[in-house]
Amino acid sequence: MLSILKGIWIILLHTFRKRETIAYPEEKPYLPPRYRGRIILSRDPDGGERCVACYLCAAACPVDCIALQAAEDEHGRRYPEFFRINFSRCILCGFCEEACPTYAIQLTPDYEYAEYNRQSLVYEKEDLLISGPGKYPDYNFYKIAGMTISGKGKGEAENEDPPVDIRSLMP
Amino acid sequence: MIIFRHLVIVIGVFGAALSVSAGLVWLERRLLALWQDRYGPNRVGHFGLLQVVADGIKMFFKEDWIPPFADRPVFVIAPMLLLVTVLMPFAVIGFAPEIVVADLNIGLLFFLAMSALSVYGIVLGGWASNNKYALLGAVRAAAQMLSYEVFMGLSLMGVVILAGSFNLSEIVDAQKGMWNCIPQFLGLVLFTIAGFAETHRMPFDLPEAEAELVAGYHTEYSGMKFGLFFVGEYLGVTMISAMIVTLFFGGWLGPFLPPVAWFALKTFIFICGFILVRAALPRPRYDQLMGYAWKVLLPLALLNILVTGAIVLAVH
Ligand code: SF4
Ligand code: SF4
């Protein structure tokens, strides 16, 4: 009996509490930088596309919403000819970001991309590609990987030794 | 002239009761939100006041579906019956001296009779729905209303003994010296609890019990028929609050302000009390509900009559 009255009293005291609601469109919540929202494709610090069209993200995606086509440019760099993400299927799980070897595909703290038309949720490469490096400002895949591209031969990558002449006896 | 005055009162009371209970939908949502540290509906109009209108429009445009397995005529009549029976007691409540639709000399009995009849709306609705959940809700409602009706009437007898009349205006006048809430405190508590059960409001909303019975007796109702049940519930809250004020808190009596303002103010406070209790208390088990009524509240009500009667006899 007493506990009932006490319960009512406690609820009454809630009149003077602060309200927890975040009045959304006027007041935006803080989202941490690693929040999993809209997906982007980033570029390396030199401005080249990071994506090497390895298909790992498409393979990792549990709902198969990524489609792309690999191609190679005159410098020997691989890039996606088209890159399409269907956001009406994407579950924002972030597996694609984890799978990506080049930090190309990244999830951002943006969630305001609702559309009236379902078809408008299919993003093409132009919509996805941003001009900056995203969350990893210094990473440049082609500078680190051993792969040869024009302007960077064998053994010229960072942390890489020059190639050994296997026919020579010199140490 | 008399007829004209009467007409104004009738229409005024009718309009006030209906608009207050519609406004209550908004009030309840805002107050519940306040007590749960939220905002509630605050977008449509100032403070979300037009939410009521928006909800009403929505309700009217909803498909009004009568299930093919339902008992059609009864299904349609049930919500009307509920609304009418809940609306009737407003006729005997005095909002101020002389402002009353029908100053019956058995006003209190009329109120009890009408609130007892209101169970028909629910039982018939549940029965006509031809649905297990609705029927269970209706059965619960019938048992609950019967049990609580018994001591609801008895708890008011103390008031009647003190005032020596069943006429609500005379009961209010008899409280000029001291409001009934002091000598009849036990009666007040009992009547309030019974009132909650009568309106099947939150702690006693077992006929609805969304957690177990989908929506209880109005599971099959949609559109404006559901709206009637909904408004009926809020009308019931207003009605019980007005009765508590009339019987225990001196009705329109009070200094400075005009009588109607006092009446409205007191009623408003009790309506807020109803909402507060809904915000605070969980629903009891069904056997607890019944046991509580018959084993605790009924003996207490009888004791109340006994003691009040003895004291009044001793004093006179
Ligand atoms: S976030 Fe998940 S669902 Fe969305 S594209 Fe990446 S892997 Fe697919
Ligand atoms: S975004 Fe990353 S994982 Fe996907 S194809 Fe490009 S490089 Fe590979």
Side-chain angles (χ1 to χ4, degrees):
Chain A
M1 193 62 218
L2 207 64
S3 62
I4 290 177
L5 293 178
K6 221 169 107 191
I8 295 178
W9 176 244
I10 288 173
I11 296 294
L12 190 62
L13 289 185
H14 270 260
T15 316
F16 308 107
R17 290 267 189 98
K18 192 181 149 292
R19 311 201 194 208
E20 298 291 347
T21 312
I22 298 172
Y24 162 60
E26 294 95 39
E27 201 184 317
K28 302 257 157 84
Y30 166 74
L31 295 178
R34 288 199 282 175
Y35 186 87
R36 300 198 307 260
R38 186 167 62 87
I39 300 174
I40 50 114
L41 286 174
S42 59
R43 291 175 187 272
D44 57 31
D46 302 336
E49 272 176 51
R50 266 183 180 155
C51 176
V52 295
C54 66
Y55 295 101
L56 284 179
C57 53
C61 180
V63 292
D64 283 346
C65 67
I66 303 180
L68 68 149
Q69 173 64 54
E72 201 172 310
D73 66 4
E74 66 275 20
H75 304 292
R77 289 175 65 127
R78 279 165 62 90
Y79 71 97
E81 208 175 349
F82 68 82
F83 198 108
R84 190 175 295 142
I85 298 183
N86 183 351
F87 278 107
S88 65
R89 294 182 70 179
C90 175
I91 55 172
L92 302 174
C93 63
F95 285 4
C96 47
E97 179 172 359
E98 280 183 42
C100 181
T102 66
Y103 292 145
I105 193 164
Q106 294 178 12
L107 280 79
T108 61
D110 175 24
Y111 48 87
E112 291 175 314
Y113 53 100
E115 296 279 355
Y116 284 106
N117 184 354
R118 195 169 273 260
Q119 200 55 39
S120 317
L121 280 169
V122 177
Y123 280 38
E124 295 295 339
K125 191 166 141 188
E126 310 83 271
D127 313 317
L128 296 165
L129 203 59
I130 61 166
S131 49
K135 281 180 270 190
Y136 306 92
D138 301 323
Y139 184 76
N140 194 337
F141 175 73
Y142 280 108
K143 287 265 163 64
I144 291 168
M147 165 117 178
T148 313
I149 53 168
S150 69
K152 191 201 79 173
K154 273 262 178 286
E156 288 173 12
E158 273 171 46
N159 311 326
E160 200 182 21
D161 292 330
V164 180
D165 182 0
I166 49 167
R167 286 174 225 287
S168 161
L169 284 174
M170 298 301 285
Chain B
M1 211 48 226
I2 291 278
I3 287 187
F4 182 68
R5 190 189 137 82
H6 243 86
L7 221 61
V8 169
I9 291 177
V10 169
I11 293 170
V13 168
F14 185 72
L18 279 184
S19 49
V20 161
S21 54
L24 269 189
V25 180
W26 173 82
L27 183 75
E28 166 149 56
R29 289 174 67 186
R30 287 303 300 242
L31 282 181
L32 278 182
L34 173 67
W35 287 318
Q36 293 167 357
D37 302 340
R38 302 182 283 119
Y39 282 105
N42 62 351
R43 293 292 158 130
V44 198
H46 284 287
F47 306 109
L49 264 172
L50 291 183
Q51 186 72 41
V52 178
V53 182
D55 283 350
I57 294 173
K58 183 192 85 173
M59 206 72 105
F60 268 112
F61 282 96
K62 287 263 172 186
E63 184 187 0
D64 197 353
W65 189 65
I66 299 177
F69 45 80
D71 184 346
R72 234 184 130 87
V74 183
F75 190 83
V76 175
I77 288 172
M80 301 183 208
L81 200 64
L82 181 83
L83 200 71
V84 168
T85 48
V86 179
L87 209 47
M88 286 304 261
F90 282 101
V92 291
I93 296 174
F95 296 88
E98 305 298 308
I99 301 191
V100 50
V101 176
D103 202 7
L104 289 186
N105 56 354
I106 49 155
L108 195 57
L109 290 182
F110 181 77
F111 154 73
L112 287 174
M114 278 304 151
S115 66
L117 273 183
S118 73
V119 74
Y120 277 95
I122 292 171
V123 172
L124 289 180
W127 173 257
S129 296
N130 212 348
N131 167 315
K132 288 185 204 106
Y133 294 118
L135 186 60
L136 277 174
V139 169
R140 281 185 181 188
Q144 170 178 332
M145 301 279 242
L146 266 178
S147 323
Y148 279 77
E149 197 67 48
V150 171
F151 74 85
M152 179 186 227
L154 290 177
S155 69
L156 293 182
M157 288 312 121
V159 174
V160 174
I161 293 174
L162 285 184
S165 165
F166 277 110
N167 183 315
L168 289 180
S169 306
E170 279 174 33
I171 289 177
V172 172
D173 279 333
Q175 298 177 57
K176 279 224 168 79
M178 182 174 23
W179 290 355
N180 272 339
C181 58
I182 298 166
Q184 280 299 313
F185 183 72
L186 191 57
L188 167 65
V189 173
L190 293 171
F191 181 72
T192 313
I193 294 174
F196 276 103
E198 272 299 308
T199 51
H200 34 92
R201 284 281 303 180
M202 194 39 182
F204 298 139
D205 70 340
L206 284 117
E208 278 180 58
E210 307 93 331
E212 49 213 85
L213 290 186
V214 189
Y217 59 90
H218 56 53
T219 305
E220 295 289 352
Y221 280 89
S222 56
M224 214 45 214
K225 290 203 201 63
F226 167 74
L228 285 189
F229 275 127
F230 204 61
V231 170
E233 178 176 329
Y234 287 103
L235 263 180
V237 172
T238 320
M239 187 257 288
I240 295 287
S241 302
M243 282 311 284
I244 292 176
V245 169
T246 311
L247 296 170
F248 295 98
F249 286 86
W252 60 75
L253 300 176
F256 311 125
L257 293 177
V260 179
W262 269 112
F263 190 85
L265 190 71
K266 291 178 192 171
T267 310
F268 178 75
I269 290 172
F270 279 99
I271 290 173
C272 292
F274 265 81
I275 298 170
L276 175 62
V277 169
R278 166 168 181 189
L281 296 186
R283 188 185 290 137
R285 235 173 34 225
Y286 194 65
D287 59 317
Q288 288 171 336
L289 176 88
M290 297 303 273
Y292 197 54
W294 290 107
K295 291 182 201 151
V296 182
L297 299 175
L298 181 63
L300 276 181
L302 289 171
L303 191 73
N304 186 35
I305 300 178
L306 204 72
V307 173
T308 314
I311 291 175
V312 168
L313 272 184
V315 169
H316 289 292

